[in-house]
Amino acid sequence: MGVQAFLEEHQVFSLRTFRAELGEGHSAYNLLMRAVRAGQAERVVQGVYVSRSGRFSSLEPDPFLVAAELAEDVTLVYHSALELHGLAHSPWRRVQYTTRTNFSTFSYRGFSYERYSLPKALRESGAVQFTTLTRRTEGVVRTSTRERTLVDAVNRSDLCGGLEEVFRSLASLPFVDSSNVVAYLKVLRTPTAVARVGWVLEQRARDWFVSEDDLTTMRKMLGAGPYYLTKSNEPGRWVSGWRLYVPEDLPHLQRWLNE
């Protein structure tokens, strides 16, 4: 395969992929640099390129595919995962991902790309079991599973646009496999997350077919508390079953979660 043919088949690609198909020598790489100078390809960030050839000449690249090419272990998380699962209430122009490779935040074509570190517990246990592959028009990306996404969004609502955005997004879930939620929480080992997520699951237990046994298991995972639904740690309404303070505007939270 020549460079031009490669550019007409790959909209977003890494230098790693390019060299795997066209060889490690300087000649193919020099042709890629010539294509960049000619406007037939575009450098996004070191090691990642976008084709501007053939059908891709005027087609905006998928920002999630751009992130996926940054490193082999990239996983889309937080609000980006909500979007990939078709749940997000509002579209964002921030792409959130994890990888062991250290990347600084950068912008490309109106999107901000933000790297997050995996929690230590996930680095130790391996996070692959809590990821899934999602098909996009021009490729495949790895994202957090739906249940992990639920936990991450509720536990870190500050990274997902706040409680309203999170609850309105989760309201569209048809069901939740609570056993997978429990499995992830056991690895995460964060009682605060257990309290936050447990309370949310209890609100929609009937609609989401949440197992009462799993709710009981989660209650046993709690510490002494108290816990707070958001990082602001503001006292509000006390929910004794989860040793959790929720904001005073509880009716709004429940309405957002059930709309």
Side-chain angles (χ1 to χ4, degrees):
M1 176 184 293
V3 171
Q4 188 59 42
F6 179 92
L7 293 176
E8 291 178 1
E9 291 186 11
H10 298 78
Q11 184 186 23
V12 184
F13 59 93
S14 65
L15 186 57
R16 179 183 63 255
T17 301
F18 180 83
R19 284 174 166 163
E21 293 203 23
L22 295 172
E24 296 285 344
H26 291 292
S27 58
Y29 177 75
N30 289 338
L31 288 173
L32 174 60
M33 293 301 99
R34 184 181 300 175
V36 170
R37 290 191 294 271
Q40 298 172 325
E42 190 170 82
R43 180 181 180 273
V44 177
V45 68
Q46 184 175 356
V48 179
Y49 298 83
V50 167
S51 172
R52 291 294 172 191
S53 297
R55 61 192 176 95
F56 303 130
S57 59
S58 59
L59 187 65
E60 284 299 304
D62 185 328
F64 298 123
L65 288 177
V66 171
E69 291 296 336
L70 292 171
E72 292 181 307
D73 65 337
V74 163
T75 298
L76 281 300
V77 293
Y78 298 124
H79 195 275
S80 292
L82 288 172
E83 292 187 69
L84 285 163
H85 285 295
L87 300 173
H89 178 67
S90 306
W92 272 21
R93 298 189 75 82
R94 293 168 58 189
V95 181
Q96 299 163 297
Y97 65 95
T98 63
T99 175
R100 293 177 185 273
T101 306
N102 190 17
F103 281 99
S104 298
T105 297
F106 67 92
S107 296
Y108 175 70
R109 292 192 170 265
F111 286 85
S112 174
Y113 292 80
E114 303 171 4
R115 172 189 174 270
Y116 295 85
S117 298
L118 276 173
K120 183 179 179 181
L122 283 183
R123 294 198 301 270
E124 293 173 349
S125 65
V128 175
Q129 62 180 311
F130 301 112
T131 67
T132 187
L133 297 177
T134 302
R135 171 64 63 181
R136 304 294 287 173
T137 302
E138 298 296 338
V140 174
V141 299
R142 183 173 296 280
T143 188
S144 54
T145 61
R146 189 171 60 176
E147 282 72 25
R148 174 183 166 187
T149 299
L150 180 152
V151 172
D152 288 347
V154 172
N155 188 45
R156 293 301 309 270
S157 59
D158 57 308
L159 298 179
C160 297
L163 288 178
E164 180 175 0
E165 174 66 19
V166 169
F167 285 3
R168 287 184 184 276
S169 297
L170 296 179
S172 60
L173 276 169
F175 69 93
V176 173
D177 187 335
S178 53
S179 64
N180 286 338
V181 171
V182 170
Y184 180 55
L185 287 170
K186 284 182 176 179
V187 171
L188 207 56
R189 300 197 300 272
T190 306
T192 298
V194 175
R196 291 170 176 173
V197 174
W199 179 80
V200 168
L201 291 186
E202 190 174 62
Q203 303 306 299
R204 294 292 304 273
R206 179 178 297 180
D207 297 329
W208 288 345
F209 307 99
V210 175
S211 163
E212 183 59 40
D213 289 342
D214 289 331
L215 290 176
T216 299
T217 297
M218 292 172 66
R219 290 188 187 97
K220 292 178 180 178
M221 295 166 64
L222 294 172
Y227 307 107
Y228 300 84
L229 190 57
T230 65
K231 291 188 69 177
S232 62
N233 289 354
E234 295 180 7
R237 299 195 185 192
W238 175 247
V239 181
S240 59
W242 295 103
R243 302 168 198 171
L244 179 74
Y245 281 108
V246 301
E248 287 289 353
D249 56 347
L250 179 61
H252 287 88
L253 302 183
Q254 293 172 321
R255 188 180 72 249
W256 295 333
L257 194 56
N258 285 277
E259 285 183 343

